[in-house]
Amino acid sequence: MAAAGPASADGGDHRTWQVQVGSESWDQEIQGMAFLPSEIFINEGDTIHWRANSAEIHTVTFLASGQSLQPFDPFNDDELQQRGKNHYDGKSYYNSGIMANVDVPGFPTVKDYSLTFPWKGDFTYYCLVHGMVMKGAVHVRDRGTDYPYSQADYDRRSAAQEHSIIRDGERLDASLADDATNHRVIAGGDDGVAMVMRFVQPTVTVHVGDWVTFANTGMGAPHTVTFGTEPANIFAPSGTPDNFTGGDLNSGFMPPGAVFKVKFQTEGTFRYICALHDYMGMVGKVKVVD
């Protein structure tokens, strides 16, 4: 990171630093999987204020000593709600709760989260939703140590990285389109940098008796394929996908790598959504002809 020069620190001056959680394109189609900045150097007693910067959900989570990172569990309140106090002890589980810059259906969300770091050390944190592909580091040094970067330095670097993430997402969107057909819809995608929050080839036309495969080809973001009325529990499969004639049908929770196959047995136009991301515009339809 290029910097104009180190910033001096007054031994009694506690600073608050700003970190963005996620990023997105203007239409919310491209979502970034990064804390901006992802690495920050602070002093004992300083505070970090994380601010939600995307409609996609994220968390700021420090795991407890000896705790391993696990796949996101949308039924676990310890992952959905804030845990821990305002001062980080360096060894316990701390969680922001679900963060987003909009109200997300089905999730309790917060837009801001702050922690003060009383003791020096190097601490890694994660987004529980996106796992190893979205992590950050906090380096806490002795009180009074000169800062290697200013907030302005971090902000400039973050703005450049945010622009790069959007460009990456646009390239990813184009590559996903090459893999989509009338019988294969890409249910979102990500590459460890950016996420495409759309069904790629969202409108397809097939014949009665044809199968359509919905494939989550990403690395970090879960999705659903939901026809008809959105169920109370969007994470549980429902309906009969091998004999679909209309009405309600839900894939349930589709982690990265999952596929959902539907056999369409009657003519008509059938609209569907990702129940996790429809508020971003992740919707589509299947036209079935004789």
Side-chain angles (χ1 to χ4, degrees):
M1 178 184 295
S8 62
D10 182 335
D13 180 23
H14 297 163
R15 297 192 181 186
T16 296
W17 300 85
Q18 308 294 322
V19 176
Q20 294 181 176
V21 181
S23 56
E24 63 185 5
S25 60
W26 66 271
D27 60 357
Q28 301 178 328
E29 177 177 2
I30 308 301
Q31 299 283 321
M33 288 187 288
F35 300 105
L36 302 175
S38 60
E39 185 176 34
I40 190 167
F41 294 84
I42 67 173
N43 290 353
E44 291 175 318
D46 285 356
T47 297
I48 298 179
H49 176 252
W50 285 272
R51 178 178 59 84
N53 193 43
S54 68
E56 168 65 349
I57 61 173
H58 299 290
T59 72
V60 172
T61 307
F62 292 82
L63 300 177
S65 299
Q67 183 180 4
S68 61
L69 185 64
Q70 300 295 321
F72 176 58
D73 181 356
F75 302 104
N76 186 347
D77 280 346
D78 285 340
E79 301 188 16
L80 302 180
Q81 304 283 351
Q82 184 171 331
R83 294 291 184 263
K85 298 182 179 179
N86 295 328
H87 288 71
Y88 182 54
D89 67 8
K91 61 182 180 180
S92 301
Y93 178 78
Y94 283 71
N95 186 45
S96 62
I98 298 295
M99 299 187 69
N101 62 6
V102 297
D103 293 330
V104 179
F107 287 103
T109 55
V110 297
K111 293 180 172 60
D112 301 274
Y113 177 62
S114 295
L115 269 183
T116 297
F117 292 80
W119 299 287
K120 68 179 180 179
D122 298 307
F123 308 107
T124 300
Y125 64 97
Y126 301 91
C127 169
L128 293 178
V129 180
H130 302 107
M132 288 296 295
V133 300
M134 186 171 175
K135 64 180 180 178
V138 179
H139 304 288
V140 186
R141 294 89 45 77
D142 289 324
R143 194 183 311 269
T145 303
D146 285 346
Y147 298 105
Y149 309 111
S150 67
Q151 183 67 57
D153 293 327
Y154 288 124
D155 291 346
R156 282 191 293 270
R157 175 58 179 167
S158 295
Q161 187 176 353
E162 188 168 17
H163 180 71
S164 177
I165 288 169
I166 300 304
R167 288 180 62 105
D168 180 273
E170 291 169 347
R171 290 191 293 267
L172 175 62
D173 191 17
S175 70
L176 293 175
D178 291 338
D179 294 331
T181 69
N182 272 328
H183 294 89
R184 178 178 169 83
V185 175
I186 308 300
D190 61 81
D191 59 3
V193 176
M195 297 172 282
V196 175
M197 290 304 186
R198 294 291 188 272
F199 291 103
V200 181
Q201 194 148 338
T203 300
V204 298
T205 301
V206 298
H207 294 280
V208 173
D210 284 354
W211 290 85
V212 175
T213 297
F214 300 86
N216 181 353
T217 62
M219 299 168 56
H223 298 289
T224 79
V225 175
T226 305
F227 291 85
T229 302
E230 189 173 321
N233 182 2
I234 63 174
F235 301 110
S238 59
T240 309
D242 60 354
N243 186 33
F244 184 60
T245 58
D248 300 337
L249 175 66
N250 185 45
S251 64
F253 190 75
M254 290 179 63
V259 297
F260 181 59
K261 297 181 178 180
V262 181
K263 188 175 186 179
F264 292 87
Q265 299 284 55
T266 190
E267 294 180 66
T269 298
F270 305 97
R271 300 180 184 276
Y272 63 91
I273 64 172
C274 170
L276 292 169
H277 302 116
D278 57 319
Y279 65 96
M280 296 184 201
M282 193 167 175
V283 299
K285 58 186 176 183
V286 178
K287 297 178 179 179
V288 184
V289 297
D290 188 10

